[in-house]
Structures are given as C-alpha cells and as structure tokens.
Amino acid sequence: MRATATARRLRVSPQKARLIVDQIRGMPVTSALDVLRFDVQKSAQFVSKLLDSAIANAENLNASVDDLRVSEVYVNEGLTIKRLRYHGRGRTGRMFKRTCHITLAVSDE
C-alpha cells in the first residue's frame, strides 16, 4: 500500500532540500524520523512534518506503521521570488528567493 504527501511553495532552496531528502530515501520510517529530528537544517523540519503527514495518510489506509519505508521522495523547483538589493552609488542587484515543492511517498512493500 502506498501513501503520499506533498508540500508546496516551501521557502527553502531546492538544492538545500535535496541534501536532506537524499539522506532518508529508502529508510524505514522510524529511523528516518530520528535522522530528521537531530538535523539542524531548516528543510529537515519541513521534511519531518511531511513524513508525519504521509504516515497519517498511510494509517487512514489501514497500513501498519512498523512496516512502512520511504519509498519515493523528490524535490522540484517552485516559484522564484525576485527582489532588489540596494547598493551604493544608486545601483541595485537582484536577489532570488527560491522555493521548492517536496513530494514524499511511503509504502509497506
């Protein structure tokens, strides 16, 4: 049985989120939660909440939590917010605030 959860428009760059996601891919759910709990990066909190949501979705489908594994997880690039940063002598520079979409699936297979 497969259950998914998706988080969209998270204010963290996709490159930084992929570092966290690559650590938990294929792990059992309990050990993946332990890894995310002790990670200090901002994206680890987002992925932890998303994993909790996927576990809850699996429980609604009558799946056993002890048998669940992170079967599929990937990060896509989201909207990029563009801002100006002001410099001296009347000049400006562009600032890109990147966002991402994270999709996580757990299964008992």
Side-chain angles (χ1 to χ4, degrees), residues 83-87 91-95:
R83 296 286 182 258
L84 293 178
R85 183 169 193 143
Y86 299 101
H87 299 291
R91 298 179 185 184
T92 59
R94 302 273 322 243
M95 209 172 26

Side-chain angles (χ1 to χ4, degrees), residues 7-83:
R8 297 176 56 82
R9 294 184 214 100
L10 298 175
R11 262 300 279 123
V12 65
S13 72
Q15 184 177 7
K16 291 178 183 177
R18 284 187 191 110
L19 292 174
I20 300 299
V21 162
D22 289 340
Q23 291 178 356
I24 65 163
R25 186 175 288 124
M27 291 178 83
V29 169
T30 54
S31 58
L33 282 173
D34 289 338
V35 168
L36 293 172
R37 185 178 298 126
F38 293 110
D39 203 332
V40 296
Q41 291 190 354
K42 179 181 175 181
S43 55
Q45 294 175 352
F46 293 141
V47 177
S48 177
K49 283 185 176 182
L50 191 62
L51 185 56
D52 287 335
S53 177
I55 292 169
N57 292 341
E59 286 177 348
N60 288 340
L61 297 173
N62 297 327
S64 174
V65 178
D66 298 330
D67 300 334
L68 291 177
R69 296 180 78 81
V70 178
S71 61
E72 182 181 3
V73 57
Y74 55 90
V75 179
N76 291 331
E77 190 171 337
L79 203 66
T80 301
I81 304 166
K82 298 171 185 80
R83 296 286 182 258

